[in-house]
Amino acid sequence: MPKVEKINNVRVRTPSERRNWLFDMKRDYDLYLLLLPGVLALIIFKFLPMYGILIAFKEFNLFDGVWGSPWAGFKYFEELFNDSKFYTVLGNTLLINFYKLVFQFPLPIMLALMINEARNLMFKRVTQTITYLPHFLSWVIISAIFINVLSPLTGILKDVFAMLGMSNIMMIADERFFRSVLVASAAWKETGWSSIIYLSAILAVDPQLYEAAKMDGAGKFRQIWHVTLPGIRSVIVFIIMLRIGAALGNDLEQVLMFYSPFVYSVGDVIGTYVYRIGLGQFKYSFTTALGLFQSLIGMGLIVGANYVSKKFGERSLW
């Protein structure tokens, strides 16, 4: 065991550990070379642009630039927290993400379980192909499809709407249905693609566990409940953590394609609000403050979810 030194409670590598570290780097240099482009891309496109958050603390002027604009302190954060519109978009963002987590999240798991249990190989492949396809469509195309399908006059569901007494309701422009349309369209687009992760996890479950369950008299549903779901539990928790971390980051493109001034009160989320106010009214400092607030809360959520996951012995991000 290498001797461990501590200076002011900071662990210091011993000479032998430093030699081992350098030896490991030299031995696996080809792997580090493969890692290098990804690290450089991360630094250039993710970390270097972060200096732009200074705009949130400045009276930003396009002609003076980031460094030339005068400091404004926390003026725009105070303006943000005193703005009633901010609480509306924050509530919309949280509610839409909550609905997606509750209603959309279980669908890929259910689809993966059904595909896994299918015994006809051709049926399985066709089902996978059909369900994966919507993922490759842009939100522009998907919004056009939903607008046409849900149209009370020309949509293919117009007869169904008429039977339900909804012949004059344009669901996509109605506050009562707008969030449901967002969740349904996101589910249709991503359920098949997201199921790939769970199918991979199911394939990693030990087949001997299924044999043992069969010997104990377990049917298909009990095998799924007692073997498959516990076998992929860590993956489910991992995906939930990522979803919670992105709870304030609604799909901007999706909402932009679907919403209109008729549904701003229920559909305007942080991303669209930043887009409208930042680019539409040139309030760069105010919207940067809002974006920074969104990022900090998102980081807090993912740290909290990671802590809870570790606390209950599940997989964690770090």
Side-chain angles (χ1 to χ4, degrees):
M1 287 289 289
K3 185 180 177 182
V4 176
E5 300 174 359
K6 283 192 174 182
I7 299 176
N8 294 332
N9 289 326
V10 178
R11 188 177 184 276
V12 179
R13 289 178 179 274
T14 62
S16 62
E17 283 182 317
R18 282 196 289 270
R19 282 195 297 274
N20 289 338
W21 180 72
L22 291 172
F23 174 78
D24 291 341
M25 290 270 304
K26 188 176 179 182
R27 182 191 60 194
D28 301 325
Y29 76 94
D30 47 354
L31 297 178
Y32 287 100
L33 285 176
L34 287 174
L35 182 66
L36 191 59
V39 172
L40 286 176
L42 191 68
I43 293 172
I44 293 170
F45 296 108
K46 296 293 183 182
F47 282 92
L48 291 183
M50 285 178 70
Y51 84 95
I53 62 176
L54 287 175
I55 294 173
F57 305 95
K58 290 199 163 196
E59 296 281 1
F60 179 66
N61 185 303
L62 279 175
F63 300 102
D64 296 331
V66 176
W67 298 109
S69 300
W71 290 97
F74 291 94
K75 171 188 171 184
Y76 290 104
F77 288 93
E78 293 174 4
E79 185 179 335
L80 177 67
F81 295 126
N82 291 326
D83 183 7
S84 60
K85 187 68 179 173
F86 162 69
Y87 296 99
T88 302
V89 297
L90 179 62
N92 289 339
T93 306
L94 292 173
L95 267 179
I96 291 171
N97 274 289
F98 175 74
Y99 292 152
K100 285 184 177 178
L101 188 64
V102 172
F103 299 107
Q104 182 192 345
F105 183 77
L107 296 179
I109 302 172
M110 295 165 66
L111 179 64
L113 291 172
M114 288 190 286
I115 291 175
N116 183 61
E117 294 300 327
R119 290 292 166 261
N120 187 310
L121 190 60
M122 180 61 73
F123 173 79
K124 184 183 289 192
R125 287 179 176 172
V126 170
T127 304
Q128 286 179 287
T129 304
I130 291 174
T131 54
Y132 294 169
L133 279 178
H135 171 77
F136 299 100
L137 300 177
S138 70
W139 279 115
V140 178
I141 298 173
I142 291 178
S143 65
I145 293 172
F146 268 74
I147 288 170
N148 281 290
V149 168
L150 298 176
S151 170
L153 299 176
T154 58
I156 59 175
L157 297 178
K158 62 181 180 184
D159 294 331
V160 177
F161 292 152
M163 288 173 60
L164 297 174
M166 300 164 58
S167 55
N168 295 321
I169 297 176
M170 186 65 185
M171 297 180 72
I172 207 161
D174 193 307
E175 294 180 353
R176 294 171 297 172
F177 303 104
F178 183 73
R179 289 170 179 157
S180 302
V181 173
L182 288 182
V183 175
S185 58
W188 184 71
K189 187 176 190 294
E190 298 298 343
T191 295
W193 186 255
S194 301
S195 68
I196 294 175
I197 299 172
Y198 301 108
L199 273 172
S200 304
I202 291 171
L203 292 175
V205 177
D206 188 352
Q208 292 184 0
L209 295 176
Y210 290 105
E211 296 300 325
K214 287 178 186 174
M215 292 179 68
D216 289 339
K220 278 294 176 191
F221 286 106
R222 285 196 174 276
Q223 288 177 39
I224 291 171
W225 186 256
H226 292 290
V227 178
T228 309
L229 288 177
I232 64 172
R233 185 177 61 184
S234 60
V235 175
I236 294 173
V237 172
F238 186 75
I239 300 297
I240 287 176
M241 275 196 299
L242 296 180
R243 293 292 297 267
I244 291 175
L248 295 186
N250 277 98
D251 294 323
L252 170 63
E253 191 182 355
Q254 180 199 12
V255 182
L256 274 177
M257 290 299 107
F258 278 92
Y259 87 156
S260 64
F262 300 109
V263 291
Y264 275 176
S265 60
V266 296
D268 201 14
V269 295
I270 290 178
T272 55
Y273 187 63
V274 167
Y275 175 79
R276 286 193 299 108
I277 303 300
L279 295 181
Q281 301 180 16
F282 305 107
K283 298 176 70 173
Y284 300 114
S285 297
F286 177 77
T287 49
T288 303
L290 177 55
L292 183 57
F293 168 80
Q294 178 185 10
S295 301
L296 290 175
I297 296 299
M299 188 175 72
L301 287 173
I302 202 165
V303 169
N306 189 67
Y307 173 78
V308 172
S309 177
K310 285 174 70 175
K311 193 76 176 174
F312 289 94
E314 298 293 344
R315 180 177 292 186
S316 61
L317 294 174
W318 59 83

